[in-house]
Amino acid sequence: MINKTKQTGTATLNVKGKDIEFPIMSGTHGPDVVDVKRLYAEAGVFTLDPGFTSTGSCESQITFIDGEKGILLHRGYPIDQLAEQSGFLEVAYLLLNGELPTQNEFREFAGLVTQHTLLHTQMDRFFDGFRRDSHPMAMLTGTVGAMSAFYPGAMDSSDPEERNLAYIRLIAKMPTLAARIYKYTQGQRFVDPINELSYGENFLRMCFSVPAEKYKISPTLARAMDKIFILHADHEQNASTSTVRLAGSSGAHPYAAIAAGVASLWGPSHGGANEACLNMLREIGSVDRIPEFIARSKDKSDSFRLMGFGHRVYKNYDPRATVMQKTAHDVLDELGIDTPILRVAKELERLALEDDYFREKKLYPNVDFYSGVILDAMGFPTEMFTVLFALARTVGWVSQLNEFIEDPSQRIGRPRQIYTGAAQRDFVPISDR
Ligand code: ACO
């Protein structure tokens, strides 16, 4: 049940000589908020906050982040406990339903997801329309949106059962879609899911098995895949999640809203950062070149930034980066890979954390810093990284979308602006211009 905030005080704003009182609301954790819903009605002014650095858009019970302390909780559970002790589908159930599943609930949920992993066969024809060298995120944006044409039944978002089916389908079909995108870029035959395999195992097999050979699933890699999915499952009101909520606020089809989220995630400041980070680590290439790149990232005349460093919310270690670093070691050990990239990453992290510039600006490694190293070692091309992120984040997106739809206080999203364009003027016919 949403609407659990409590009023714990008032804030008075003086607008052009008139005092107006607003309620201060408190949640479970985190800073209080000033509820300014009545501001325009009472004072005739809006707030201006580009980038929403001081603005909350909703009440949510899904994820909590304390960026100063480096804490990330899903439904109250710390991310490191979830990553170490649970599985991705268990976390998916938790995010969607609010509580960890009992064994029976989990069996039913996992069974339902497994039953919906196949794609409509006509979906396969979409791929032929894409150039072989299309960016995988371009294909994902298009094909997720296209799914809305295959499952129009889920259009009635006021029906909780239809909604739930749409969410299950999205969670189930994303790995199949992502694996097909990978196979298409490689010019290889599509591989269908097998029901007896786990979510992570199925995905690895759909990506890396070929008809000519028996595919042996490594439990270490399957577990690492699962952990990567858990670490990317949700992250509160970031750009792509807010996009999904905003797109869904008009009553848009859930697949279309998720496609909007995929598009938003694509950018290098968001989901595209792990791709950019690995490219950067490769470009650095060896430990001796690190100081040159650190110097460039501090130089205001150079647009270069240390990718995988810094975060809008975390002003401390991103707790996901800690799990990711350990997983990177597990995967590289399992595969027997001794790559200079991991050495460069660890030394870059060490040097940047000792550097006053990064310390003063509270720039720490984020989740993307090590994820690229792992995915690269597993055999995924860099262009696929954001697709894997989108696959995992789908769980967060559908949970957030559902919360939005169930929240009676939510309306169509419609930010305001301050207009600084031309003042009103009369039209001049083209013959007189
Ligand atoms: N390298 C060097 N300097 C940086 C970096 C960086 N990676 N990140 C921020 N800074 C500096 C900025 O130049 C700015 O300096 P100034 O105050 O002297 O102008 C200051 O730190 C604050 O940076 P902002 O861009 O204002 O912070 P914001 O919160 O808007 O940006 C962001 C956060 C986009 C993540 C930024 O840190 C960045 O570009 N990092 C690299 C890209 C990255 O890793 N993105 C992944 C984010 S995690 C995710 O989406 C899953």
Side-chain angles (χ1 to χ4, degrees):
M1 190 53 193
I2 208 91
N3 297 332
K4 281 197 167 172
T5 54
K6 284 194 192 78
Q7 184 172 349
T8 49
T10 52
T12 307
L13 183 68
N14 187 289
V15 184
K16 297 176 184 166
K18 184 183 167 197
D19 275 346
I20 307 167
E21 237 177 46
F22 297 97
I24 295 182
M25 311 299 289
S26 299
T28 318
H29 294 304
D32 294 341
V33 302
V34 180
D35 180 347
V36 295
K37 278 199 291 288
R38 291 182 301 105
L39 178 64
Y40 180 60
E42 299 206 4
V45 294
F46 299 135
T47 55
L48 181 67
D49 184 16
F52 307 109
T53 49
S54 296
T55 299
S57 62
C58 60
E59 178 186 335
S60 182
Q61 297 170 358
I62 301 174
T63 292
F64 171 74
I65 303 171
D66 184 331
E68 296 297 330
K69 294 193 185 130
I71 292 172
L72 168 60
L73 310 175
H74 290 322
R75 302 283 191 185
Y77 297 102
I79 188 66
D80 53 318
Q81 292 182 22
L82 292 172
E84 297 299 344
Q85 298 175 47
S86 74
F88 179 66
L89 282 187
E90 210 177 344
V91 173
Y93 184 98
L94 173 72
L95 289 170
L96 254 176
N97 299 292
E99 294 297 335
L100 286 167
T102 61
Q103 290 182 39
N104 278 345
E105 284 166 341
F106 180 71
R107 217 171 294 127
E108 197 185 322
F109 180 74
L112 212 53
V113 171
T114 308
Q115 274 168 34
H116 285 93
T117 48
L118 283 172
L119 292 177
H120 193 291
T121 49
Q122 268 179 274
M123 279 292 296
D124 285 350
R125 293 203 215 142
F126 273 94
F127 291 96
D128 291 332
F130 290 110
R131 282 170 51 129
R132 198 62 81 171
D133 60 355
S134 306
H135 195 287
M137 281 300 279
M139 289 195 260
L140 190 69
T141 313
T143 50
V144 171
M147 280 207 286
S148 57
F150 287 83
Y151 307 102
M155 195 63 208
D156 182 6
S157 56
S158 64
D159 180 344
E161 272 186 36
E162 277 201 27
R163 275 205 316 269
N164 197 46
L165 183 58
Y167 305 151
I168 295 283
R169 279 188 173 135
L170 273 156
I171 295 168
K173 292 180 198 307
M174 278 303 242
T176 318
L177 209 50
R180 272 164 157 67
I181 288 171
Y182 170 66
K183 286 296 197 192
Y184 185 74
T185 60
Q186 303 299 302
Q188 292 180 9
R189 194 181 293 172
F190 295 154
V191 177
D192 284 325
I194 290 184
N195 283 2
E196 69 194 37
L197 298 181
S198 73
Y199 197 83
E201 288 171 340
N202 234 331
F203 180 61
L204 288 175
R205 186 184 154 277
M206 285 192 287
C207 287
F208 296 123
S209 72
V210 287
E213 277 174 18
K214 195 167 161 33
Y215 181 70
K216 196 167 166 295
I217 296 165
S218 149
T220 309
L221 296 197
R223 182 71 192 116
M225 195 75 261
D226 213 54
K227 269 191 198 174
I228 292 176
F229 290 158
I230 293 173
L231 294 174
H232 287 92
D234 191 53
H235 212 230
E236 210 243 47
Q237 310 310 321
N238 53 78
S240 58
T241 302
S242 300
T243 302
V244 169
R245 281 185 178 251
L246 197 56
S249 77
S250 67
H253 196 289
Y255 297 89
I258 300 304
V262 173
S264 166
L265 188 73
W266 190 355
S269 299
H270 193 6
N274 55 6
E275 180 178 342
C277 181
L278 187 74
N279 288 338
M280 176 194 76
L281 293 174
R282 282 198 181 121
E283 195 191 340
I284 298 175
S286 60
V287 167
D288 56 304
R289 294 191 64 207
I290 294 173
E292 173 198 330
F293 281 81
I294 290 187
R296 275 186 62 197
S297 76
K298 298 192 290 188
D299 179 355
K300 288 290 164 220
S301 63
D302 189 331
S303 62
F304 173 77
R305 281 188 171 194
L306 223 49
M307 299 315 285
F309 257 78
H311 197 275
R312 169 59 62 81
V313 179
Y314 291 116
K315 302 301 168 197
N316 200 324
Y317 226 99
D318 179 340
R320 300 168 300 174
T322 320
V323 184
M324 228 27 128
Q325 193 202 52
K326 189 175 165 300
T327 310
H329 282 285
D330 293 347
V331 167
L332 296 189
D333 285 351
E334 162 81 6
L335 296 171
I337 296 176
D338 182 21
T339 162
I341 294 176
L342 185 61
R343 280 197 295 278
V344 170
K346 287 180 76 172
E347 186 60 7
L348 178 59
E349 175 186 354
R350 191 183 70 76
L351 290 176
L353 290 176
E354 280 177 357
D355 194 295
D356 284 346
Y357 173 93
F358 289 87
R359 291 219 310 227
E360 275 158 25
K361 294 190 188 301
K362 297 187 177 172
L363 300 167
Y364 291 85
N366 60 47
V367 66
D368 293 320
F369 194 66
Y370 284 104
S371 63
V373 177
I374 307 174
L375 297 175
D376 177 57
M378 281 178 159
F380 289 105
T382 46
E383 304 78 48
M384 275 298 290
F385 291 180
T386 320
V387 170
L388 304 199
F389 189 163
L391 184 172
R393 185 54 60 85
T394 297
V395 163
W397 289 333
V398 296
S399 305
Q400 300 270 354
L401 180 62
N402 193 50
E403 186 177 70
F404 176 89
I405 293 170
E406 287 185 348
D407 180 353
S409 71
Q410 285 294 343
R411 308 158 70 184
I412 186 165
R414 176 60 172 89
R416 310 306 289 245
Q417 63 168 15
I418 177 161
Y419 176 71
T420 53
Q424 182 170 344
R425 49 188 167 164
D426 289 327
F427 178 76
V428 180
I430 195 162
S431 52
D432 297 343
R433 273 181 256 151

